[in-house]
Amino acid sequence: MKEALQQFPLKGSVTVCEPYGSGHINDTYRVETDEGVQYILQRINRHVFPDVKGLMSNIAAVTAFLGARVSHPREAMALVYTNAGAPYYEDPAGDCWRVYDFVTDSVCLQKIERPSDFYECAFAFGRFQGIMAQFPAETLCETIPNFHNTPDRYEKLRRAVSADSMGRADGVREEIEFALSLEQEAGKLQALRMSGALPTRVTHNDTKINNVLMDQQSGKALCVIDLDTVMPGLAAYDFGDSIRFGAATAAEDEEDLSRMRLDVDLFEIYSRGYLDACDNLTATEIETLPLGAFTMTLECGVRFLTDYLEGDHYFKIKREDHNLIRCQTQFALAADIRRHMPRLNQIVLDCAKK
Ligand code: ADP
Ligand code: GN1
Ligand code: MG
């Protein structure tokens, strides 16, 4: 780590380098120098992201683009290039390291504490989408190919059911039937993308509240972080995944399924924050935001079910049926989102008009 730090032109000599934050993917450290300057140092997770070069070229392009357009430097992450002028350093052991300026006096919430937090989270992702609308999305590499290609996720589910490598398929017939019964609706978004009815945008793909930094004093959104999954996609993916995670009444692994519903008030707050910050979406994009919430939730359930059938290789589990329970909560939430669809469609239209 010391050797990695030496590759970057930091202001002063390093006095502190300690583990920081509670991210699940990368190893993150807070670095401080004798001149009182702070940085974030990260070892990139190569198992999740084998194409570090592609990933870092995405991040370099996106941070430069955002940095040139935000109204305050704290509203965009700034990458520190190595002494050799590269966006990351690969050490002799093959570990890859990157450094960002530390966003000072910021907080990273693990969950929504007040409704205004969700508004701020929406505002941050809406602003990200709005600014990145001018960026040529097709020049970004797909760090995880077919990430939100829902028909492809269904194909993978079918393969897992036929292979039934763990002998678990018989125990989850009801869940498989549920997923298959909604397959056509689940494929709508991808069909609209393929037909060109929805524009390809720069999407973040991990739009959770803990990937937004807020100002410690005012609680206002500062910037979006964790840009590893930035890829070409649809605005509805990011909107939908935020709703899936943030506007649910229960945790992703709640066992009492009757507790899992959509909080329509939180849906409305998110819609308002997102559309207040982003005014460049097409009419079709706005109309399909609620479909995004339904699709991302169902798709996530399909991914959990597939992983359960395949023996839990992808999502970390704490007990044997963890992925099955996660699948069930997502299916319950998707069904509830579907029940509310007329109301949700009205909400996004009203928020877009204001
Ligand atoms: P992971 O992919 O592992 O979730 P993140 O990139 O989200 O990693 O970073 C992990 C944590 O580090 C964040 O939750 C946040 O608390 C902190 N963090 C990341 N970047 C910065 C930054 N530029 N300034 C201040 N804190 C940061
Ligand atoms: C994963 O790593 P984490 O928890 O931020 C997954 C998301 C899922 C989420 C479900 C790269 O996100 O797509 O929605 O789990 N990220 C990746 O909890 O697969
Ligand atoms: Mg993160």
Side-chain angles (χ1 to χ4, degrees):
M1 191 182 327
K2 200 162 162 243
E3 190 231 337
L5 276 172
Q6 283 166 356
Q7 312 301 317
F8 294 87
L10 307 184
K11 294 184 184 118
S13 314
V14 173
T15 49
V16 180
C17 180
E18 58 185 17
Y20 188 75
S22 40
H24 294 307
I25 304 291
N26 300 300
D27 295 326
T28 301
Y29 302 88
R30 184 184 72 89
V31 174
E32 197 176 329
T33 72
D34 58 1
E35 293 185 22
V37 185
Q38 297 182 83
Y39 299 92
I40 285 283
L41 167 72
Q42 284 182 321
R43 185 197 346 242
I44 303 162
N45 185 325
R46 293 202 79 160
H47 297 291
V48 177
F49 302 108
D51 179 13
V52 176
K53 192 162 177 253
L55 177 151
M56 286 309 297
S57 84
N58 281 358
I59 292 186
V62 168
T63 50
F65 192 86
L66 284 171
R69 284 161 184 81
V70 289
S71 27
H72 193 278
R74 290 170 82 216
E75 289 174 6
M77 289 246 281
L79 197 58
V80 178
Y81 281 67
T82 66
N83 295 319
Y88 69 100
Y89 168 67
E90 181 166 355
D91 70 20
D95 282 339
C96 292
W97 302 84
R98 69 177 165 220
V99 172
Y100 289 110
D101 283 342
F102 193 92
V103 181
T104 50
D105 304 316
S106 66
V107 282
C108 172
L109 298 179
Q110 290 310 315
K111 63 180 177 52
I112 299 154
E113 286 162 11
R114 307 163 292 181
S116 61
D117 297 334
F118 204 37
Y119 178 91
E120 290 303 321
C121 171
F123 196 89
F125 284 116
R127 184 165 58 198
F128 175 84
Q129 185 58 254
I131 297 177
M132 295 313 290
Q134 308 304 320
F135 185 95
E138 63 287 351
T139 60
L140 294 174
C141 78
E142 267 193 275
T143 51
I144 303 177
N146 290 315
F147 195 55
H148 284 314
N149 179 345
T150 315
D152 185 67
R153 296 289 186 185
Y154 265 85
E155 210 33 61
K156 288 174 174 141
L157 172 63
R158 273 181 219 291
R159 280 205 294 266
V161 173
S162 334
D164 195 18
S165 59
M166 303 294 290
R168 288 175 168 177
D170 271 343
V172 293
R173 287 289 160 210
E174 215 180 299
E175 287 76 11
I176 297 169
E177 287 308 312
F178 177 86
L180 295 180
S181 73
L182 291 171
E183 183 168 10
Q184 208 221 342
E185 269 174 71
K188 273 189 190 166
L189 212 49
Q190 180 68 13
L192 288 168
R193 182 174 178 184
M194 290 294 112
S195 75
L198 289 171
T200 297
R201 302 283 191 188
V202 177
T203 48
H204 180 280
N205 293 305
D206 196 1
T207 49
K208 287 192 278 206
I209 192 140
N210 66 6
N211 284 327
V212 174
L213 297 181
M214 322 264 190
D215 184 87
Q216 210 160 38
Q217 270 83 43
S218 68
K220 294 268 176 216
L222 290 172
C223 64
V224 161
I225 61 168
D226 205 344
L227 304 172
D228 295 323
T229 46
V230 168
M231 284 182 257
L234 297 178
Y237 295 164
D238 278 358
F239 178 91
D241 208 36
S242 278
I243 297 300
R244 178 192 78 75
F245 195 79
T249 55
E252 202 172 70
D253 56 0
E254 168 64 54
E255 285 185 51
D256 179 357
L257 288 183
S258 69
R259 296 183 60 184
M260 184 49 124
R261 290 185 315 278
L262 174 73
D263 183 327
V264 178
D265 291 338
L266 284 178
F267 179 93
E268 181 159 4
I269 288 169
Y270 195 91
S271 302
R272 201 149 38 76
Y274 187 79
L275 292 165
D276 279 353
C278 176
D279 60 3
N280 60 285
L281 299 185
T282 66
T284 315
E285 277 181 301
I286 294 168
E287 279 163 27
T288 51
L289 293 177
L291 178 65
F294 166 75
T295 312
M296 290 300 99
T297 307
L298 183 58
E299 181 192 275
C300 195
V302 166
R303 293 173 64 194
F304 287 137
L305 182 56
T306 306
D307 201 35
Y308 177 74
L309 288 166
E310 288 178 341
D312 313 298
H313 299 304
Y314 191 90
F315 297 104
K316 286 185 194 133
I317 53 163
K318 294 209 171 106
R319 38 176 212 269
E320 206 185 279
D321 59 355
H322 211 159
N323 276 321
L324 176 58
I325 287 166
R326 288 169 174 153
C327 153
Q328 290 166 341
T329 64
Q330 299 307 293
F331 285 176
L333 181 59
D336 201 41
I337 293 175
R338 192 163 171 266
R339 273 193 286 277
H340 284 101
M341 215 38 119
R343 174 87 189 102
L344 306 183
N345 289 330
Q346 194 54 51
I347 290 173
V348 292
L349 291 183
D350 290 347
C351 290
K353 263 190 235 136
K354 276 185 204 147

